[in-house]
Each structure stands twice: as structure tokens, then as C-alpha cells.
Amino acid sequence: MSVLSHFRVEFYDCLYSRADALFELTDAVLCADGAVTSLVELTLTAEHRRGHGAMYDAVNHGWLEPRRLRRPLASTPLPRAADGRIILAVDVSNWLRPDASTSANRLFCHVYGRGRSADQFIPGWPYSFVAALETGRTSWTAVLDAIRLGPADDATAVTAAQLREVFNRLVHARQWKPGDADILIVMDAGYDVTRLAHVLADLPVELVGRLRSDRVMLRDTTRYGKAEALAWDRMHPRLTTRGPWLDHCGELPLIHGTLIRLKVEHLPGDRDPKPVWLWSSRTALTGKDVDLRWQAFLRRFDLEHTFRLFKQTLGWTVPKVRDPNTADLWTWLIIAAHTQLRLARPLAADLRRPWERPAEPRRLTPARVSRGFRHLRAKTTRPAGAPKPSAPGPGRPPGAQNRRPAPRHEPGKTVKRAETLTEHVRLKQQRG
């Protein structure tokens, strides 16, 4: 209980404007009966002692300092692997805003369809998340950082800077010290794992990423039959002067690693599944080391459970906000709420429905922990002050029209990357 109360106090200290309203709004998210479907419904909970006007004012004009909140996130107890190492996962989740033509900084986000060749590109705000993973079957992750990708951002460069800052905060919080096992970072095929390994070569981290994949596997059980993992040591990908390597000076480096081929006997509905190819930035791995790498990669999909919890239960993408800065504020409030659920995990009782199976101790899902958070909240620190009585503002006169229409913004990249080396050289010459 003391760890949870300490985090709540630190979270409140990160709120610089409309602190009381934002703090109670976060408590309302945690104590809502069921999934969050609208912001105004949260003002009807007992934990939110203010009106809907104060809530909207806090969301639109509140201020949370992300740099300050990132420090207590890194200081909370983090899950670790069996050998004591920290395993991080990095992935992008999209806040889709297809009809928000007045919202700035939207990008075309890749969305997977239900069938083959059904993928779409929908305008929205992509967020890059970094989270610490647990071992075993679980839907829990420890979210450590989130960054919204802008139209002028290079995804590889932003991810490299984000991972470097997360590592530095873990060192400062004494989560990692010299002599500990290297931090393992897993990622999907959307990332240039070779480029990230080259940029982060000065850090004690190891990167494991998927090179090519057609199937998604969750875990290795008898349901999938026999699993076979083969590894080739000191394999380096063939690099070309494209994408993130266009700005590289000199000869392209040789980045050696371990190539891992993972194949299972069968998948549900598919008796002949294709293998998954992984690449690790570490060489000279033993058989035990190889097993740890591919098992850690499969645990990366636990982050998908966190994204689903954010969107379907905590209401991350529910608000129809216009300003991307407001979206950033709401994102950090959801991260703070999820962290409180994780810290309350060993304290919550199993308030299960009559048709649900009993859960083992310390094995409650985030949704079950949220059911009992209202009882735990009464025992924790509540730094938010009581609301002061006030009269509502006059608002817009009846029948008056808005004479300041919001500007329209087209989604997409504002900085186009060169596709070839010749085009890259030509653009550099034009810039002087």
C-alpha cells in the first residue's frame, strides 16, 4: 500500500495546472463501473467531485509534465526475467482520428484488416510505447514511456532516442547497475533492428527483432506441437544505402549477430505454418541463450493486451479531442492509471462474477484489479483538494455562431525521405 500511495503523491506533483481536477479524473477512470465510454460519464462517479465543466477545462487547459512523470515510472518495481535481467518491448499503437480534419499532426496509420489484403491506412496519431515485460502467461506490462510520432519525425531515430532515455532513467533509478545482465529489447518487424543495434551499440543492451514473419504465435504449448529453434552465429544483414542508412558517412558497417529460425509443428487452422525469423545483436549464444531470446520475443505480444486494455477498458481513444497536446495529456493520465492498477495488483481482492473462474493469488487481470480499486483508494493517499464553489460561465449566447472556424489540416508526412542514394545526394545539394 505504501508503494501505491507514494506513486499517487508523485503523480500529483507532476500535475502543474488543474492538478486536482486531473487527479480526480484519473481516479474516476480507475473506479468506473465497467469500460470508459465517455468523459462526461466519468463526472458522475463518486470519486469525481467536480462538474463536467471543470472536467473539460482540465482536459483542454491542464498541464502534466511528462519528463517528471517518467522518473517515478522508472522507479516503480519492475518485472524481470528468470535470470534477473530486464526485458523491454517497444511498439506503436495508433489513436485513429479519420474524421478530425481540424486536428493537426495526423499521420496515415497502418491498420491490419481481418482478411488478407485488407490492410488500411487511416489518419491518426501514432504513439511509440516502451514497456517492461513479465515472464509466463500474463496480460501485465510496466509501461515506462510514450512518445507521439509527428509528421516530421524519423521513426528509427525517435525510437533510438527513446530507448536511450529509458535506459538512462533505469540506471538513475538503480534498476540496472554495472555488472547486471544486459537489458533485452524485443521488437516486431516494423523496426530496423540492425540500424537500432548500430546506434545503440554503446549501451549494454541487446536487441531482438523479427526479420520476416507471416504468422503470430503467442506461446509454446502442446497446442502447437513440437517447436524447433535453429540458430546461426555471426550473421550480418546486407545493408544498402536506403532508409535510415542514407545519412551514414563512410562504408556501411558489418553488424554481426545471431540469426534464429523458429518453427512449430502446427498452428490452429494451419498444419503447415511458416517459420519466424529473428535476429539478435549478440553473438556466441548458447542453446539456453537462444531459447531465452525467442521466448522473450513471444512475450512481446503481451504489450498488445495492454493496448487493448487502454482502448477498450480505460478509454484511451474515447475522447474526441482536437489538439494533439490534449491527446498527449490524456495518454499520460491513462499510463498513470495503468501503473496504479499494476501497483495495486498484490492488494486487490478477486471480485469475480458468478460465471468467472477463481484466479490464483497475484494472478488477477488488470480488469479484475480495477473492480476492487475503489476499495483500495479509500486506504491510499488522496492529495487532491476539495472543489471550491463557483458559478458557471455565461457560455456562448443562444443562436450565436462561431466566427472563428478551426483551420483544416491534411494528414501525412511533411518531410519526405529520399528513396535512393542519388535522390538523397540531390536533395542535400539543394539544401546547400
Side-chain angles (χ1 to χ4, degrees):
M1 189 68 69
S2 60
V3 178
L4 176 59
S5 296
H6 182 69
F7 178 81
R8 287 170 61 85
V9 172
E10 290 188 317
F11 167 55
Y12 181 79
D13 293 339
C14 299
L15 303 171
Y16 287 4
S17 179
R18 276 68 170 185
D20 296 335
L22 291 176
F23 189 87
E24 289 191 352
L25 181 61
T26 307
D27 275 357
V29 172
L30 290 168
C31 301
D33 295 329
V36 176
T37 57
S38 68
L39 291 184
V40 71
E41 292 288 341
L42 294 176
T43 62
L44 301 179
T45 61
E47 290 73 20
H48 195 280
R49 298 175 292 178
R50 292 162 171 81
H52 64 278
M55 180 273 297
Y56 284 122
D57 180 67
V59 171
N60 292 320
H61 303 287
W63 179 20
L64 181 147
E65 181 52 58
R67 289 180 296 180
R68 187 167 182 176
L69 182 57
R70 288 182 175 111
R71 292 196 293 267
L73 289 176
S75 301
T76 57
L78 299 181
R80 297 175 182 269
D83 59 353
R85 76 171 68 231
I86 297 176
I87 300 178
L88 302 179
V90 56
D91 201 357
V92 173
S93 186
N94 303 315
W95 184 337
L96 301 180
R97 300 288 282 132
D99 301 325
S101 59
T102 59
S103 296
N105 298 334
R106 292 181 303 157
L107 299 176
F108 287 105
C109 304
H110 182 225
V111 179
Y112 292 95
R114 293 185 177 273
R116 293 186 177 182
S117 302
D119 298 355
Q120 304 179 55
F121 287 91
I122 301 177
W125 292 314
Y127 281 83
S128 175
F129 289 88
V130 177
L133 303 179
E134 293 190 8
T135 58
R137 297 175 57 188
T138 179
S139 57
W140 289 97
T141 62
V143 180
L144 301 176
D145 193 31
I147 293 179
R148 176 172 50 83
L149 301 177
D153 290 337
D154 178 76
T156 303
V158 171
T159 303
Q162 183 183 22
L163 292 174
R164 184 178 295 274
E165 292 177 359
V166 169
F167 174 80
N168 292 333
R169 288 194 294 271
L170 292 177
V171 173
H172 186 267
R174 297 185 178 275
Q175 299 281 8
W176 187 93
K177 57 183 182 298
D180 292 349
D182 291 353
I183 295 179
L184 189 62
I185 304 175
V186 294
M187 59 194 65
D188 208 356
Y191 292 90
D192 192 333
V193 60
T194 309
R195 176 65 181 179
L196 291 175
H198 176 71
V199 175
L200 303 177
D202 58 320
L203 299 181
V205 298
E206 178 185 349
L207 279 72
V208 176
R210 180 162 58 176
L211 298 179
R212 182 174 57 247
S213 174
D214 298 295
R215 300 293 177 184
V216 175
M217 299 186 303
L218 300 180
R219 65 183 191 277
D220 177 34
T221 66
T222 55
R223 186 184 185 188
Y224 303 102
K226 180 181 177 181
E228 181 184 59
L230 300 178
W232 292 266
D233 193 21
R234 299 190 63 79
M235 299 289 292
H236 62 275
R238 183 175 64 89
L239 304 180
T240 58
T241 52
R242 292 178 179 270
W245 295 100
L246 282 173
D247 295 325
H248 182 78
C249 299
E251 186 178 355
L252 293 176
L254 295 180
I255 304 177
H256 292 95
T258 301
L259 184 64
I260 302 174
R261 177 181 180 270
L262 179 62
K263 184 176 178 59
V264 297
E265 188 174 354
H266 59 80
L267 288 174
D270 190 350
R271 293 294 173 178
D272 188 21
K274 296 182 180 180
V276 173
W277 292 90
L278 307 176
W279 185 83
S280 171
S281 61
R282 187 60 51 85
T283 59
L285 297 180
T286 64
K288 184 178 180 181
D289 295 334
V290 171
D291 290 340
L292 175 63
R293 269 64 181 177
W294 67 259
Q295 290 172 5
F297 174 79
L298 297 186
R299 292 268 60 84
R300 188 201 67 82
F301 296 100
D302 295 340
L303 193 54
E304 302 294 338
H305 296 289
T306 301
F307 293 156
R308 186 172 66 245
L309 176 76
F310 277 17
K311 296 179 179 180
Q312 298 182 2
T313 303
L314 301 183
W316 173 39
T317 58
V318 164
K320 305 302 180 182
V321 298
R322 175 186 299 174
D323 190 353
N325 295 321
T326 304
D328 296 343
L329 170 64
W330 181 248
T331 299
W332 282 108
L333 295 182
I334 296 300
I335 293 176
H338 179 262
T339 303
Q340 294 183 60
L341 287 179
R342 181 170 61 87
L343 298 179
R345 178 183 177 186
L347 308 173
D350 185 12
L351 303 180
R352 63 184 181 90
R353 303 289 190 258
W355 55 86
E356 294 176 340
R357 296 180 180 179
E360 300 178 2
R362 299 180 63 86
R363 297 291 296 178
L364 296 179
T365 62
R368 289 202 187 185
V369 173
S370 64
R371 295 175 188 172
F373 191 86
R374 175 170 289 168
H375 306 288
L376 295 175
R377 176 182 175 274
K379 305 176 184 179
T380 60
T381 305
R382 287 169 286 173
K388 299 179 181 180
S390 61
R396 183 184 301 174
Q401 296 181 354
N402 183 13
R403 298 183 179 180
R404 294 183 297 178
R408 265 50 179 174
H409 303 274
E410 293 295 332
K413 284 284 188 180
T414 58
V415 177
K416 301 295 184 181
R417 293 186 60 89
E419 297 293 337
T420 62
L421 180 60
T422 303
E423 183 181 358
H424 177 68
V425 173
R426 181 179 58 82
L427 292 176
K428 289 185 65 176
Q429 293 176 350
Q430 291 179 355
R431 295 168 187 169

